[in-house]
Amino acid sequence: MQMKRITNERYQETYYTETLENGLRVVLWYKPGYARSLFMMATPLGAMDLMQEDAQGNTYSYPAGIAHFLEHKMFEKQDQDVMNEFSRMGANVNAFTSYNETAYYFSTSGSIEGPLDLLLDFVQQLDISDASVEKEKGIIVSELNMYQQMSDSRLLMETYQSLFHEHPLKYDIGGDENSVRSTTRQQLEACYQRNYHPGTMMLVGVSGKDPEQIMEQIRRNQRSKQFAPLCPIHRRPIREAASVVRERHAFSMDITVPKLAVACKLAPCVDALERLRREWCIRLAQDLCFSSLNPQYQRWLDEGIISDFVGADVDLGADHGVLLFYTETQKTAAFEALVDDVCKQMAALTVDEEALQSLKHRYFGTAVRSLGSFDDIAIGYIRSAFAGYDYFAGMDIIDAICAEDIREVCRSLDLTHRSVVVITPKR
């Protein structure tokens, strides 16, 4: 299969795509005139993939945090130090695990040939021992304990644990101490074999170098390797009750001012583009009602109902949904009442067209500017591809939303399933 050239006229961006014989999807985003290059290799294995099933109906379960555990172990080879090798070639390497993917990437302003082969080679080979796995457990548990001591992280995790009965969002991306301690080398190897096959993965490069030369190097690298036949696997559907685990939860930490989150469990949305549209509609409504665009916002600050640590968010998935408001305040009851009022405003929203256009221009401008960020391009393209929609269509949605879209989406929200989580200062 030859490379396919794709140009988006609206955004004046060009990239090349090819699916190799082993199934690896390669995307080369062409940035002529740039010295910097970035390559990211990703698998759709994330922290939510704790139960998977194959085409034959066989199911596989993993301990929470296994995707993150694998990310740690990928860099450890018994005969080489991967990070030192990248540094020796003048490249910076890193990785991350989210709820939906694990990605490994490097950037450099020098030659890409050595780092690109190294990226492909180290991601496509797991080299671990029982001793190295046991050693890593202590490192990961220390990392998790560090986050447990951070009030912002703890507030979010306790909120998800208050919302979800079965959904993996109730776990930290890294899992918890029990799940990490129980993870075995055999589980890591089995998870790797099922989820790191070229047929499930994607490689995105953003570079000003010749795409044909880069693609030929990738073809050459992949032709030299043998892989087992692909056995397609996917996340097992999660059956989550509409109710929340706990409507109220409070605990103490070493802080001076209480922090609290008010979160509502939303209905999920299966269609990826519709999910993105609904998410943007809700986010715009939150901005119109719960930011400085609201004339009451300054009064909330002056009265101490909210503080500089304040925000709102929305997260819609194919099997989950969360609407979130949070702040730091002594007036926790007043903030709860404020969130109730804001939710009512959202449901009966009278949209100020001038404010809406200003918001849309800001978000759309940010999206357009992200086309100058190699990291944003790679992450954005990978996430859209794994979710099953066109990268640029996701950007177009922001521009297309109108006031009636926002009203329609907000009117349809069921906000009856709610949790309130409060962190109080230790005495």
Side-chain angles (χ1 to χ4, degrees):
M1 181 178 179
Q2 295 298 310
M3 279 199 308
K4 181 180 179 182
R5 183 178 188 269
I6 298 174
T7 298
N8 185 287
E9 298 296 341
R10 180 180 189 186
Y11 300 103
Q12 292 296 296
E13 293 287 339
T14 297
Y15 61 89
Y16 298 79
T17 67
E18 182 175 332
T19 300
L20 305 186
E21 291 181 2
N22 62 16
L24 180 65
R25 289 180 286 174
V26 181
V27 176
L28 300 179
W29 202 288
Y30 189 40
K31 286 287 191 180
Y34 281 78
R36 183 170 179 258
S37 298
L38 180 139
F39 287 80
M40 181 175 291
M41 194 167 186
T43 172
L45 172 74
M48 289 200 289
D49 291 278
L50 302 186
M51 290 290 292
Q52 294 183 313
E53 60 184 16
D54 59 24
Q56 288 73 45
N58 300 310
T59 61
Y60 310 94
S61 62
Y62 308 107
I66 194 167
H68 176 257
F69 205 135
L70 266 176
E71 178 215 316
H72 273 236
K73 297 311 298 174
M74 291 306 303
F75 285 93
E76 187 174 311
K77 309 298 180 187
Q78 295 184 29
D79 60 345
Q80 71 177 153
D81 187 313
V82 174
M83 289 193 168
N84 282 346
E85 280 294 298
F86 275 105
S87 296
R88 186 182 61 79
M89 292 185 284
N92 296 313
V93 66
N94 213 330
F96 67 85
T97 304
S98 75
Y99 281 108
N100 291 299
E101 71 273 322
T102 308
Y104 305 85
Y105 59 100
F106 76 85
S107 63
T108 183
S109 296
S111 170
I112 64 170
E113 188 170 346
L116 180 52
D117 274 337
L118 180 55
L119 177 69
L120 289 162
D121 293 345
F122 96 84
V123 173
Q124 291 183 324
Q125 181 183 18
L126 180 64
D127 183 14
I128 58 176
S129 64
D130 288 324
S132 71
V133 169
E134 291 304 311
K135 178 182 177 182
E136 199 69 37
K137 291 179 181 180
I139 296 171
I140 295 175
V141 168
S142 295
E143 183 182 313
L144 293 174
N145 288 337
M146 178 185 69
Y147 288 122
Q148 284 286 312
Q149 302 307 312
M150 299 167 63
S151 59
D152 297 355
S153 299
R154 185 80 183 280
L155 179 65
L156 184 62
M157 286 313 306
E158 292 286 347
T159 299
Y160 282 148
Q161 288 169 13
S162 292
L163 291 175
F164 295 107
H165 298 267
E166 304 295 335
H167 200 283
L169 279 172
K170 69 179 184 176
Y171 298 110
D172 187 279
I173 285 174
D176 56 32
E177 183 168 356
N178 289 336
S179 68
V180 172
R181 297 287 186 195
S182 70
T183 303
T184 66
R185 175 178 61 83
Q186 290 79 11
Q187 288 173 319
L188 289 165
E189 289 175 339
C191 185
Y192 176 84
Q193 293 298 329
R194 296 183 188 117
N195 292 278
Y196 277 70
H197 190 282
T200 67
M201 300 189 75
M202 172 174 282
L203 174 66
V204 175
V206 188
S207 176
K209 301 186 187 301
D210 182 5
E212 184 55 60
Q213 291 183 11
I214 299 173
M215 190 68 79
E216 182 51 42
Q217 178 188 344
I218 297 168
R219 295 187 194 114
R220 187 169 59 248
N221 179 285
Q222 295 299 282
R223 281 196 298 263
S224 70
K225 301 172 182 176
Q226 296 293 322
F227 297 93
L230 173 64
C231 297
I233 195 165
H234 60 271
R235 186 181 303 163
R236 189 178 184 185
I238 300 162
R239 296 177 180 174
E240 174 68 33
S243 64
V244 299
V245 175
R246 52 197 186 196
E247 294 182 355
R248 304 194 71 84
H249 177 58
F251 60 99
S252 298
M253 291 186 72
D254 190 14
I255 57 176
T256 56
V257 180
K259 292 185 177 182
L260 78 157
V262 180
C264 298
K265 212 169 178 178
L266 302 181
C269 181
V270 175
D271 182 83
L273 273 179
E274 173 60 16
R275 183 165 68 239
L276 192 60
R277 185 188 75 87
R278 292 179 66 85
E279 199 172 80
W280 273 114
C281 285
I282 297 169
R283 183 170 290 114
L284 289 166
Q286 285 178 315
D287 284 343
L288 290 167
C289 298
F290 192 69
S291 77
S292 56
L293 292 174
N294 188 324
Q296 299 299 311
Y297 190 82
Q298 187 59 49
R299 179 178 65 80
W300 302 338
L301 281 169
D302 293 342
E303 293 180 1
I305 301 174
I306 62 173
S307 64
D308 291 337
F309 175 76
V310 63
D313 200 5
V314 58
D315 176 26
L316 291 182
D319 54 16
H320 70 276
V322 178
L323 182 73
L324 176 69
F325 299 88
Y326 59 88
T327 196
E328 180 181 76
T329 179
Q330 299 283 5
K331 299 182 177 180
T332 56
F335 181 73
E336 286 186 52
L338 171 60
V339 170
D340 286 339
D341 187 53
V342 166
C343 289
K344 291 175 183 176
Q345 289 182 42
M346 289 172 61
L349 189 61
T350 301
V351 179
D352 183 310
E353 282 293 341
E354 185 177 344
L356 174 59
Q357 291 305 316
S358 176
L359 271 176
K360 286 175 56 178
H361 289 158
R362 187 175 76 193
Y363 281 123
F364 186 68
T366 299
V368 172
R369 284 193 298 275
S370 73
L371 294 172
S373 165
F374 288 15
D375 303 65
D376 287 348
I377 289 173
I379 295 170
Y381 192 96
I382 285 168
R383 287 180 173 167
S384 64
F386 284 165
Y389 65 88
D390 178 73
Y391 178 75
F392 291 111
M395 293 176 60
D396 292 339
I397 281 177
I398 306 171
D399 197 35
I401 288 173
C402 66
E404 185 53 38
D405 293 330
I406 298 174
R407 282 191 288 266
E408 176 266 324
V409 169
C410 288
R411 280 197 298 265
S412 70
L413 295 179
D414 178 1
L415 305 181
T416 56
H417 305 291
R418 190 177 86 162
S419 291
V420 179
V421 177
V422 184
I423 309 178
T424 58
K426 287 183 177 178
R427 290 186 179 277

